[in-house]
Amino acid sequence: MHKPSIMVKKRLLFFLSVVTVGISGLIFRVGYIQIVQGDFLKAKAWEQQTRDRLIAPQRGTIYDRNGVPLAQNASVSTISVIHNQIQDKDKVITTLMDVLGMNYDEIKAKVDRVVALERIQSRVDKEIGDELRKRNIPGIVVDEDSKRYYPHRNLASHVLGFVGKDNQGIIGLEVKYDEYLKGMPGKILTEADAKGRDISGGIQQRIEPLPGNHLVTSIDIVIQQYAEQALEKVLQGKEAKKGSIIIMNPQNGEILAMANKPDFDLNEPFRIQDPLLQNQWSQLSQEKKADALNQMWRNFSINDTYEPGSTFKIVTSTAGLEEKAVRLNDTFSCPGYRIVADRRIRCHKVGGHGTQTFVEGVRNSCNPVFMDTAERLGAETFYKYMKLFGFHEKTGIDVPGEAVGIMHNIKKVGPVELATMSFGQSFQITPLQLIRAGAAIVNGGYLITPHFGTRIINQEGKVIKTFDYNKKQQIISKETSDAMRKILESVVSEGTGHRTYLPGYRIGGKTATSEKLPRSSRKYIASFLGFAPADDPQVMALILIDEPMGIYYGGTVAAPVIKEVFENILPYLGIEPQYTEQELKLESIGEVQIPNFVQQSLTDVKKEARALGLTLEVLGEGNLVKEQFPLPNERVNQGTKLIVYVEPQDKK
Ligand SMILES: [Zn+2]
C-alpha cells in the first residue's frame, strides 16, 4: 500500500477540520437552546408562579491579625413596591415621600410602572426600612440587605479593595477571597397567579441566606497606621508625586503593612481624589474617567515595575559571595568610573572611592565594585541568580494583577548591559519582588511567598481553612546570608544608610536613588530597604518616594522614614531596645506618652494634643472621639500625628 502523499494528508486534514468545526457549531447551537435558553425559559415560568425576592447574604468580615475589622457590613434595607398588591396608591406615594424624602413625581412614576416588582430605593438605613415595615402599607415591601463598610476609610485601600453594587469584589483582597467572603443569597418566595397577584394568603416562604466566612489577614492595623502616617508625612514634606511602603516579616512572608499614596476612600471608591481631576470630572469622557479611576486604584507596589537602582546591589553582592567570585576582604579600586567595552560608566562619587574592600564597597554603594563582581560572575551566572531570586516570575502574593520583572534577553546581554544591571539599572522589577529577594538574603536563604491571607473562619469563629505558605526553597547558603546581614548592618552603622541608625537597635539596610527614564528628565525615585533586628530579622521594610522635590537621595530622604517606622513598630512588636552606655546618655528627649482620647470631646482633644506637641488629624464628622491612633499609652516623638475618628455626640 502507498503511503498517502503530503498533499493528500494536507487535504484530509483540511477536510477534517471543516467537518469538526461544523459539527461543534451544531452541538453548540443545540446545547445553547437546551442549556442556556432552557434555563432561561424555566426561570421565566418559575418567576411567573413565584415572585421571589433575593435576600443578600452578609459578606464576611476582613480582619487584621489581631481581630480588628478592616472591612465589615452595615445592615441596610431595600424598598420596593409590588404593583398588584397596592390597595391605596395615594397612601403608598405619600408614605414613601414622607419616609424616604423623595419627590412626588419621582415616586409616582415608579409606582405607576406595571411590573411585578419595582425597586424604589436600595441601601437605605435600616431604621428607615424598619419604620416603613412598621407602617405596614399593602404594596410596599422592605427587604433586608447589607452594605460593605470600611471603618478605616483610606487605610490599606489598595490592598483591601472594595465591592461593587452586587457586593462582589472589584479589586484587592475583596476579589481574591470573594468565594469565601460572599456567602449564598437567600430568597423570599411569594406565590402569585398569572397576573402577578399574591395568592399565598400572606404566607411567605423564606430560604435564609448563608452568610459569608471571614478572612483573617496578616495586616497589623497599628503598623499599617504607622507606615501610612510616615509615608504621608514624607510625601508632603518632599512634595513627591507618589510613594509606597511595604512592611513584611522576612521569615514567613506575612505582610504587616502595605500602603501606596495617594490613596482613596474605600467607602467612596468612585470618587476621584486628585483635586485637579475632581474639578474637570463632569467634562471627562467615560473612558477618561475609567482610566483615572483605574490609576487611582493601582497598587503600584505590586502592579508596576521600576528600576530598583542601588538596593539591587544586595542581590549582586549575594551572588558574588555565594559563587565565591568575591571575598569580603578582596580589594577594588574606584577612580570614579569603569571603562566597559567602549563605554565609560560612572560611580556616583565623581572623584572615586579609591581603594576599598568588598565590604567597604557595599557600604559606599560604589558602582565599580559591583561592575567587577558581575563581570567575575558572567552573564549566565548572574541570570541564574535573577531567576533564583524570583525576578522572572510573580511572587504569588494573594492580590490580583501582579506584574513581573522586565529584563534583557540573556542573548543580548553584553559587558555594558551586565555592568549596568549589577547596580540595578537597565531592567525593571516590582517593589514586592525586591523585598522578597531581600527577605531571602537575610533570613538564611529561603525564598518566601509574600501574602496577606492567613486563615478563613466561619461565623462561629472556627477556623475552616488555613493558608499554607510554608513551602520555602533555599536559594543561597546560611553562610552567605549571615555574611550579608553583617555587611548590611554596617551600611547603617557606618555607611550610606546611617540615617536609619536607631539607638538600642541593630538595623541593616541599603539605600537607592534611581534616576527615572528618560534620564534627561532628572526625576528620581528615592528608596530604602531595611530590616531589624540585624542578627535575627523580624521585620523588613521597603519605601519608595517617587519624584521628591529638592534633595532626592535615598539615604537622605527615604532612610529616615524607615528609622521613624522602626522606632515605633519595633517596641510595639515587643522587640526591646538594648542600649549601649553611650546611647543611654542621649535618650529620652522629646518623647511623649499618648493619653486615652476615646469618648472625649474633640474640643478637649485639640487642646491636649497641642499641649503635648502632637499634630492632629480628624476623620469623620462630629465632636465625640470614637477611635484614636496611636493607641493610648504608646510613647511617640513630639510632632507625631495623632489621628482621631469622630462621630456626632448624640449618635450611639
Ligand atoms: Zn566608587
Side-chain angles (χ1 to χ4, degrees):
M1 221 181 114
H2 286 295
K3 281 188 178 169
S5 72
I6 301 259
M7 198 58 206
V8 171
K9 269 189 187 162
K10 271 190 177 164
R11 273 198 209 140
L12 263 172
L13 202 65
F14 175 73
F15 178 71
L16 203 66
S17 24
V18 169
V19 172
T20 310
V21 170
I23 291 177
S24 348
L26 215 63
I27 293 174
F28 177 74
R29 185 68 201 150
V30 173
Y32 178 77
I33 293 168
Q34 276 189 350
I35 300 164
V36 182
Q37 291 210 338
D39 269 0
F40 174 72
L41 294 172
K42 249 188 266 167
K44 260 208 117 136
W46 170 252
E47 203 178 273
Q48 238 159 41
Q49 286 150 21
T50 60
R51 199 187 310 95
D52 45 343
R53 296 168 356 231
L54 287 180
I55 317 169
Q58 284 274 332
R59 194 173 168 83
T61 302
I62 301 179
Y63 291 107
D64 92 333
R65 66 188 306 117
N66 298 312
V68 180
L70 303 174
Q72 58 192 138
N73 302 299
S75 283
V76 288
S77 303
T78 297
I79 317 296
S80 318
V81 289
I82 293 180
H83 191 82
N84 281 308
Q85 288 174 8
I86 295 174
Q87 289 166 8
D88 182 342
K89 196 163 92 177
D90 282 341
K91 193 158 188 200
V92 167
I93 294 174
T94 50
T95 306
L96 289 175
M97 278 171 65
D98 178 29
V99 179
L100 296 179
M102 288 167 75
N103 73 42
Y104 179 83
D105 294 337
E106 203 181 341
I107 292 183
K108 187 169 184 302
K110 289 192 170 208
V111 171
D112 282 344
R113 215 166 282 157
V114 186
V115 290
L117 182 89
E118 175 72 17
R119 183 157 293 182
I120 305 292
Q121 239 181 49
S122 50
R123 298 186 175 192
V124 301
D125 284 355
K126 196 176 172 296
E127 295 84 65
I128 294 177
D130 290 345
E131 171 64 29
L132 275 174
R133 208 178 271 133
K134 217 164 58 194
R135 297 200 186 185
N136 195 21
I137 314 246
I140 299 181
V141 286
V142 179
D143 289 325
E144 54 270 52
D145 205 342
S146 74
K147 184 177 83 176
R148 201 58 158 166
Y149 170 67
Y150 302 90
H152 304 283
R153 298 164 156 221
N154 293 45
L155 190 91
S157 50
H158 297 96
V159 173
L160 294 174
F162 54 90
V163 298
K165 273 217 170 80
D166 52 359
N167 258 351
Q168 201 176 20
I170 292 188
I171 62 161
L173 296 172
E174 291 277 27
V175 180
K176 180 70 187 182
Y177 292 97
D178 199 51
E179 59 171 312
Y180 298 104
L181 295 166
K182 68 181 177 190
M184 280 267 285
K187 269 180 186 177
I188 297 172
L189 304 168
T190 317
E191 265 192 272
D193 65 13
K195 285 187 177 159
R197 281 183 296 237
D198 188 351
I199 54 168
S200 64
I203 301 159
Q204 285 183 339
Q205 195 194 340
R206 280 175 68 103
I207 301 171
E208 291 300 330
L210 280 178
N213 293 310
H214 308 306
L215 170 68
V216 182
T217 67
S218 56
I219 297 173
D220 186 312
I221 189 170
V222 174
I223 296 176
Q224 179 78 28
Q225 297 260 28
Y226 276 130
E228 295 206 7
Q229 183 180 333
L231 180 62
E232 204 151 283
K233 197 167 97 187
V234 69
L235 293 184
Q236 268 174 21
K238 294 303 295 177
E239 294 172 62
K241 192 173 138 195
K242 59 184 185 181
S244 58
I245 188 164
I246 308 172
I247 301 177
M248 185 174 83
N249 178 336
Q251 305 293 340
N252 61 14
E254 287 184 357
I255 297 176
L256 301 163
M258 180 185 279
N260 303 292
K261 304 269 172 187
D263 54 14
F264 59 97
D265 186 342
L266 286 169
N267 293 321
E268 293 177 282
F270 290 88
R271 207 177 109 89
I272 201 80
Q273 298 291 318
D274 182 337
L276 255 160
L277 280 170
Q278 233 171 48
N279 282 335
Q280 30 174 285
W281 196 244
S282 54
Q283 281 101 279
L284 293 183
S285 67
Q286 284 307 320
E287 207 186 338
K288 284 244 167 71
K289 282 182 185 173
D291 279 354
L293 288 172
N294 278 318
Q295 201 54 38
M296 182 175 82
W297 297 336
R298 272 186 99 75
N299 184 346
F300 35 81
S301 307
I302 292 172
N303 302 147
D304 290 335
T305 57
Y306 80 118
E307 227 185 26
S310 300
T311 44
F312 184 80
K313 288 171 180 167
I314 63 172
V315 176
T316 306
S317 309
T318 304
L321 290 173
E322 180 75 7
E323 289 290 318
K324 300 194 166 47
V326 286
R327 281 165 215 281
L328 301 179
N329 293 320
D330 281 2
T331 51
F332 296 81
S333 75
C334 167
Y337 60 88
R338 195 60 99 229
I339 303 286
V340 181
D342 57 343
R343 291 263 301 272
R344 184 186 165 102
I345 305 177
R346 287 190 303 118
C347 183
H348 61 90
K349 189 172 181 184
V350 181
H353 288 100
T355 302
Q356 54 195 332
T357 63
F358 178 71
V359 175
E360 286 166 338
V362 181
R363 247 178 240 162
N364 296 330
S365 200
C366 172
N367 287 350
V369 172
F370 297 95
M371 292 191 250
D372 291 358
T373 305
E375 194 194 359
R376 291 185 198 176
L377 286 167
E380 213 156 290
T381 308
F382 188 83
Y383 265 60
K384 181 179 104 186
Y385 282 89
M386 290 300 260
K387 207 163 211 167
L388 276 176
F389 278 105
F391 295 117
H392 283 81
E393 58 183 18
K394 295 182 179 181
T395 66
I397 192 171
D398 50 347
V399 283
E402 197 182 356
V404 291
I406 305 164
M407 54 202 77
H408 304 287
N409 184 319
I410 184 156
K411 287 179 200 134
K412 299 206 170 126
V413 177
V416 173
E417 288 75 20
L418 184 61
T420 52
M421 286 180 87
S422 77
F423 53 87
Q425 280 186 12
S426 79
F427 66 95
Q428 301 211 341
I429 55 175
T430 67
L432 188 71
Q433 283 182 314
L434 181 69
I435 195 172
R436 182 199 196 197
I441 289 169
V442 304
N443 74 7
Y446 297 90
L447 196 65
I448 45 82
T449 305
H451 61 276
F452 294 102
T454 54
R455 57 192 185 276
I456 300 289
I457 56 176
N458 66 12
Q459 294 289 316
E460 288 76 46
K462 201 177 140 225
V463 176
I464 57 170
K465 191 176 174 73
T466 306
F467 298 105
D468 181 15
Y469 290 98
N470 291 326
K471 222 190 276 167
K472 299 180 275 194
Q473 185 201 350
Q474 187 166 17
I475 54 169
I476 54 158
S477 66
K478 184 178 175 297
E479 292 68 42
T480 301
S481 176
D482 290 348
M484 282 306 297
R485 276 203 312 272
K486 287 207 184 81
I487 298 175
L488 295 175
E489 187 179 359
S490 79
V491 170
V492 171
S493 56
E494 299 165 53
T496 51
H498 65 271
R499 283 187 176 82
T500 318
Y501 166 72
L502 186 61
Y505 288 103
R506 293 176 61 184
I507 294 171
K510 184 75 194 77
T511 62
T513 310
S514 348
E515 204 173 357
K516 290 177 79 174
L517 296 169
R519 307 267 184 237
S520 58
S521 68
R522 314 275 305 147
K523 286 176 178 162
Y524 300 88
I525 296 177
S527 63
F528 185 79
L529 176 69
F531 59 94
D535 52 340
D536 178 24
Q538 297 304 307
V539 280
M540 179 166 247
L542 173 64
I543 182 166
L544 265 70
I545 302 156
D546 196 339
E547 294 184 20
M549 292 291 177
I551 294 170
Y552 53 80
Y553 297 111
T556 316
V557 181
V561 185
I562 295 302
K563 173 189 173 173
E564 193 186 324
V565 169
F566 279 174
E567 194 166 17
N568 286 316
I569 72 173
L570 294 176
Y572 169 77
L573 288 170
I575 302 165
E576 298 297 331
Q578 287 166 344
Y579 297 103
T580 60
E581 261 179 45
Q582 200 188 5
E583 285 172 345
L584 277 172
K585 282 187 209 146
L586 301 163
E587 265 306 278
S588 56
I589 307 157
E591 250 191 19
V592 290
Q593 186 163 4
I594 301 276
N596 188 357
F597 292 118
V598 175
Q599 292 300 320
Q600 285 199 37
S601 81
L602 184 58
T603 328
D604 292 345
V605 173
K606 276 182 180 163
K607 267 187 228 152
E608 220 170 324
R610 200 177 312 132
L612 289 170
L614 300 167
T615 52
L616 183 67
E617 183 179 337
V618 182
L619 293 174
E621 269 164 43
N623 195 40
L624 186 68
V625 174
K626 208 178 89 192
E627 254 185 282
Q628 72 175 75
F629 179 83
L631 302 174
N633 301 324
E634 299 240 12
R635 297 195 66 85
V636 297
N637 286 337
Q638 280 191 340
T640 297
K641 197 203 279 175
L642 169 72
I643 303 174
V644 291
Y645 295 86
V646 294
E647 62 182 15
Q649 200 99 45
D650 53 355
K651 205 178 143 192
K652 259 232 69 168

